[in-house]
Amino acid sequence: MNYDLIVIGSGPGGYVAAIRASQLGMKVAVVERESLGGICLNWGCIPTKALLKSAQVFSYIQHAEDYGIKVGSAKVDFGGMVSRSRGVADGMSKGINFLFRKNKIDVLTGHGRLKPGKKVSVEAADGKIAEYIAKHIIVATGGRAKQLPSLPIDNKKIIGYRKAMSLEKQPKKMVVVGAGAIGVEFAYFYNAIGTEVTIVEFMQQGLVPREDSDISKELTKIYKKAGIKVMANSSVESVQTKGRGCKVEVKNRKTGAVENIDCDVVLSAAGVSANTEDVGLEAVGVKKDQRGLIEVDDYYKTNVEGIYAIGDVIAGPALAHVASAEGITCVEKIAGHHPEPIDYNNIPGCTYCIPEIASVGYTEAAAKEAGFDIKVGKFPFSASGKASAAGAKQGFVKVIFDAKYGEWLGAHMIGYNVTEMIAEVVAARKLETTGHEIIKTVHPHPTMSEAVMEAAAAAYGEVIHL
């Protein structure tokens, strides 16, 4: 069968690209070897948020008296939490199936590979192979947990994020290797339900090393208070898995000191590797860079006519919303529209631990390194009426402006529901809003979002509530 577009992979890049292409009048098929929605909907973004919500509810119950409510003792039903998470993921995957039917998109079940002549072969689970032809093909095969030499994942004692959300039994002790978004989210979840957690991070900054240093310091303080052990600037030298548990040898990179940690399981959360193997890239001559990522132009076209790539298989942030935006931009260009290239300096990043983290643009250090003369404003949620009423006074909003022109260079937030607040900054930066315009934008009271206005005012010495 011939198509205008075949998308290999149905994650948030692939399925969004397919739907937008169908809206633009193309005949579309999607190749998927597992569940519609890819890792994000089935084993990443969505089910992890369900687990985190369960942990947060458990925490609320434990602190019910802080809100004037008396309840009996609460117990964790670990299996129930996992079951709820899987149910949420299954529901979302079925939603993608509904959207595909609505938009008349064919689903080709199996492993997709590129073939010369703008063909895609699809190998079904029973080994049968069918070939399809398309004018355009998008590779959207996503990523997987990165394998470290010292952490060979066996999904028994050394696990990846996928196994971490479907363990049969709650571990008493866990070592999390990697303090990026995946690592700190799972650390929060397991700590909140009673697991003893240690985080090991290679980078000197420690927790969330890509965030502004003030965010990292605040989260470290909060995590340590919650009983999570944080070992920054450290590396895992080896893991012994003989016997009932694990023995993790951790080396401090500054002092050289070695510490052995006993635990039940080790979670490898050291990042993502692109799924660019066994896709047929070599067969059709698609170029990859030194990291194994597919090389593309501003509209995601590879060096081979008619073949494109989006999401985790190309350079850029490995984020679901980035893949979706890339998919839409790609198919609109294919359809003859004139979309703007994506501004990768205005991509929001969100981490859903408690407290949440959200950021966009330059960190303070990066803005200085780029040569900007800057104004920095900070507003703590301890001074926010809404945060006090919600019992969520941890954290702050930090904003960075160019002192000369008032350009909004960056924003960094840590606190209750800040992932819902960052879009204001993204939109304002897109519209080239200045610091003074934000100060004069009336924010509703009482809200957490007032902290954005107050932080901007603090940068210019006009803050009212500090």
Side-chain angles (χ1 to χ4, degrees), residues 47-59 61-62 74-89 165-167 170 189-190 192-194:
T48 54
K49 305 310 163 282
L51 289 175
L52 291 167
K53 188 62 184 180
S54 291
Q56 187 181 32
V57 170
F58 179 61
S59 180
I61 294 170
Q62 288 181 306
K75 290 195 301 184
V76 168
D77 177 2
F78 185 72
M81 288 182 173
V82 170
S83 178
R84 175 180 182 271
S85 170
R86 300 312 315 146
V88 170
M165 64 182 72
S166 58
L167 286 171
Q170 179 185 346
F189 169 71
Y190 278 102
I193 63 173

Side-chain angles (χ1 to χ4, degrees), residues 189-419:
F189 169 71
Y190 278 102
N191 171 261
I193 63 173
T195 297
E196 186 179 312
V197 177
T198 299
I199 302 177
V200 180
E201 170 55 47
F202 188 81
M203 302 297 288
Q204 184 173 347
Q205 181 168 310
L207 301 185
V208 286
R210 292 188 180 182
E211 298 288 346
D212 188 275
S213 61
D214 284 350
I215 297 290
S216 179
K217 290 172 187 173
E218 181 75 1
L219 187 64
T220 300
K221 181 179 72 176
I222 293 167
Y223 269 27
K224 285 183 175 178
K225 187 176 179 181
I228 298 172
K229 184 176 181 179
V230 178
M231 303 179 74
N233 200 17
S234 298
S235 60
V236 173
E237 299 297 295
S238 66
V239 180
Q240 300 295 328
T241 57
K242 291 180 181 178
R244 299 188 68 179
C246 305
K247 188 178 288 293
V248 185
E249 184 182 301
V250 181
K251 182 179 179 180
N252 185 291
R253 297 172 60 227
K254 182 179 180 180
T255 66
V258 173
E259 183 175 343
N260 289 305
I261 303 170
D262 293 319
C263 63
D264 299 310
V265 293
V266 179
L267 168 60
S268 179
V272 175
S273 293
N275 292 326
T276 54
E277 309 88 357
D278 200 20
V279 187
L281 300 174
E282 295 76 15
V284 297
V286 171
K287 288 183 179 177
K288 294 190 285 186
D289 64 18
Q290 293 179 338
R291 295 173 293 170
L293 299 171
I294 300 172
E295 295 183 354
V296 293
D297 66 11
D298 287 346
Y299 294 100
Y300 311 103
K301 185 178 178 181
T302 70
N303 62 298
V304 177
E305 186 67 30
I307 298 179
Y308 309 80
I310 60 172
D312 295 0
V313 295
I314 66 173
L319 300 169
H321 47 282
V322 172
S324 296
E326 289 170 347
I328 291 170
T329 300
C330 180
V331 296
E332 287 183 349
K333 185 67 174 178
I334 290 171
H337 293 209
H338 303 284
E340 284 184 28
I342 292 172
D343 176 6
Y344 285 91
N345 193 39
N346 199 31
I347 297 292
C350 295
T351 304
Y352 298 87
C353 52
I354 305 296
E356 292 182 345
I357 296 168
S359 62
V360 67
Y362 290 92
T363 63
E364 182 176 351
K368 289 176 180 176
E369 191 176 330
F372 289 102
D373 181 18
I374 61 175
K375 287 184 178 292
V376 178
K378 213 169 172 185
F379 188 81
F381 285 120
S382 58
S384 161
K386 179 64 179 291
S388 291
K393 297 195 290 183
Q394 294 175 322
F396 55 82
V397 171
K398 177 179 179 178
V399 294
I400 303 159
F401 297 102
D402 171 37
K404 187 174 182 180
Y405 298 111
E407 179 188 356
W408 202 342
L409 298 175
H412 308 275
M413 310 176 185
I414 178 169
Y416 174 71
N417 262 10
V418 295
T419 58

